[in-house]
Amino acid sequence: MTNILLDFTITQLLLVGVLFIWTGFVRSGLGFGGAALGLPLMLFLYDQPLFWLPVIGSHLLFFSALTLRTGIHDVDWPYLGHATLFVIPTTLIGVFGLVTLPTEWLLIFIYSISLAYGLMWLLNLSINSKKSWSDRLLLALGGYVAGTSLTGGPLMVAVTMKNVATNQLRNTLYVLWFTIVTIKMSTFVILGVELHLLTALTLLPIAAIGHVIGLKFHDAILKNDQWFKQVIGGMLVLISGLGLMNNLA
C-alpha cells in the first residue's frame, strides 16, 4: 500500500490540502457536491480519476457515518428505498465504466458534467421534474454519473428535495451517498482496484477541518443558497472549461 502524495511537490501538497478542506466544507455545508466541486480541481493536480475517487469515497463513508450517528432518526426510509431501486443498478454500470474506459474519456466526461453543473448554477437554472418517469430517469442518470465519477449528486438532489421534508433531506442524502459509495468501493475491491487507503487516512484530518467548518455554516449556506451556487458555478465553469480544452486539444 503506497502513498502517492510522497511523490508530490510541496506546492502540490499545499494545494491538495486546500482542496480537501474545500470538499469537506461543501459536503457538510450543502449536504452534497463535495466530489462535483472538488474532483475537477484535483484532476488538474493529478489527472487520474482512479486515484482520487477511492480517496474521496473513503472520506465520504467516514463523514457520512459520523454525521448519521446522531441523525439516523431523521431519514426518510420509505423514499430512500424507492430511490435506490433506480439508483443502484445504474451505479454499478457506472463503476464498470470507470474501471474500463480510457482515462481521456473519463476526464472529458467528468469535466463535461462539471461544466453543465457550473453553467446551471451560474445562470441560476434548476433541474425541474414534474413527472414520475422523469424523476426515475434523473435518479437513474444520477446513479450512473455517481458510479462513474461520484458527481451525480445534483441530479439526484433535484428529485429527492421535492419528495423529502427539509428537516430530513440532508440525512436522507447522506444515507444515499453512503449506499452508493459502499457499492462503488466494494466493486473496486472485487475488481482489484487500489483504494489508496493510506493516502485517504493521511488526508482525513485535513478534510475534517472543512467538514467541521461546513457544519457550522450549514444554515447560513442554505439561507444564501442562490448566491453561493452562482459564485461556485462561475468557478466551476472556468475550471471545467479549461480542463475540457486541455483534453480536447
Side-chain angles (χ1 to χ4, degrees), residues 5-203:
L5 294 180
L6 296 175
D7 298 326
F8 283 20
T9 65
I10 296 297
T11 301
Q12 286 176 314
L13 288 173
L14 289 173
L15 290 173
V16 168
V18 170
L19 289 178
F20 272 87
I21 290 174
W22 168 244
T23 56
F25 170 76
V26 172
R27 186 185 300 117
S28 60
L30 273 179
F32 70 97
L37 298 180
L39 184 58
L41 295 164
M42 294 174 191
L43 291 172
F44 267 91
L45 291 176
Y46 185 55
D47 61 353
Q48 298 298 317
L50 277 175
F51 168 68
W52 296 113
L53 288 172
V55 175
I56 296 171
S58 297
H59 286 185
L60 199 151
L61 287 176
F62 177 82
F63 290 115
S64 295
L66 194 65
T67 302
L68 289 170
R69 184 172 54 87
T70 56
I72 197 69
H73 57 284
D74 281 329
V75 173
D76 189 334
W77 293 106
Y79 182 76
L80 187 65
H82 167 77
T84 53
L85 291 176
F86 304 97
V87 170
I88 290 177
T90 53
T91 297
L92 286 168
I93 296 172
V95 175
F96 282 107
L98 171 62
V99 299
T100 56
L101 291 174
T103 299
E104 292 77 10
W105 292 17
L106 290 172
L107 292 173
I108 291 172
F109 178 81
I110 292 169
Y111 283 127
S112 297
I113 291 292
S114 299
L115 179 62
Y117 291 154
L119 286 170
M120 183 178 69
W121 290 336
L122 177 63
L123 300 176
N124 194 27
L125 302 175
S126 59
I127 301 172
N128 293 312
S129 174
K130 298 180 181 179
K131 303 288 185 180
S132 59
W133 66 264
S134 58
D135 282 358
R136 294 165 185 166
L137 178 62
L138 284 172
L139 288 172
L141 183 59
Y144 176 78
V145 175
T148 307
S149 62
L150 277 181
T151 60
L155 295 171
M156 291 179 279
V157 170
V159 178
T160 307
M161 68 187 303
K162 73 173 190 174
N163 291 290
V164 175
T166 302
N167 65 307
Q168 292 183 309
L169 180 61
R170 185 172 64 164
N171 290 335
T172 301
L173 289 173
Y174 267 129
V175 176
L176 182 59
W177 308 152
F178 190 93
T179 303
I180 289 171
V181 176
T182 298
I183 293 170
K184 194 180 186 85
M185 299 291 275
S186 299
T187 307
F188 283 161
V189 172
I190 293 170
L191 297 177
V193 175
E194 171 64 53
L195 297 184
H196 301 289
L197 295 179
L198 187 57
T199 300
L201 186 61
T202 301
L203 292 169

